[in-house]
């Protein structure tokens, strides 16, 4: 591969981060009976499923996973919707994405939640790049990573081994 990239997290480290995040979610929401993990299309949705699986193994809380569907290339004009099989009203919602860069994707993904009543909303990301342009801050972070704007983070949770690369 001609592309210059370096591994930031290997499979074991990714699993450790996800497990730690699940414990933090449990600690802050121990009184909840159910938590909705709303994963943003792509790796955010995959991460939401992994967090839900981990939470189910360590707590009595019932995790429910929904997909936040949006076109990341056309956030302003695109439609934002939730997978239709779950109504997350009056629940604690954890909005999940793989990488937080400027906060734009997370900010636009809030749209369907503005129309429902919820107990609270929290944000979980595997990697926070801290290039904040929108008022979005994660409550749960796997890794804080300082990068330049020209660098990119590639998260692959689609199959084992899970990896995170900087390129």
């Amino acid at each position: 591969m001609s592309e210059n990239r370096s591994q930031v997290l290997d499979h074991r480290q990714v699993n450790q981060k996800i497990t730690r995040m699940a414990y933090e979610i449990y600690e802050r929401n121990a009184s909840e009976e159910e938590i909705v993990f709303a994963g943003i299309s792509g790796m955010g949705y995959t991460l939401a499923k992994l967090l839900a699986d981990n939470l189910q193994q360590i707590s009595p809380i019932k995790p429910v996973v929904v997909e936040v569907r949006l076109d990341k290339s056309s956030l302003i004009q695109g439609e934002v919707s939730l997978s239709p099989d779950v109504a997350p009203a009056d629940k604690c919602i954890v909005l999940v994405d793989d990488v937080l860069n400027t906060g734009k994707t997370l900010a636009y993904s809030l749209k369907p939640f503005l129309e429902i009543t919820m107990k609270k909303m929290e944000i979980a990301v595997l990697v926070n790049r801290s290039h904040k342009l929108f008022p979005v801050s994660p409550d749960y972070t796997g890794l804080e990573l300082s990068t330049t704007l020209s660098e990119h983070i590639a998260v692959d949770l689609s199959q084992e081994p899970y990896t995170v690369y900087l390129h």
Side-chain angles (χ1 to χ4, degrees), residues 93-149:
I93 299 168
V94 179
L95 184 60
V96 183
D97 204 4
D98 57 341
V99 178
L100 173 56
N101 188 20
T102 64
K104 185 176 183 178
T105 300
L106 283 164
Y108 277 95
S109 67
L110 293 172
K111 185 179 178 185
F113 300 103
L114 298 175
E115 300 169 2
I116 62 170
T117 304
M118 61 185 126
K119 284 186 181 178
K120 69 177 174 178
M121 175 170 277
E122 299 175 318
I123 296 175
V125 297
L126 186 58
V127 180
N128 182 5
R129 293 183 59 194
S130 303
H131 294 293
K132 192 173 180 176
L133 297 179
F134 287 76
V136 175
S137 297
D139 298 284
Y140 309 102
T141 302
L143 177 69
E144 293 274 344
L145 187 64
S146 296
T147 62
T148 66
L149 288 172

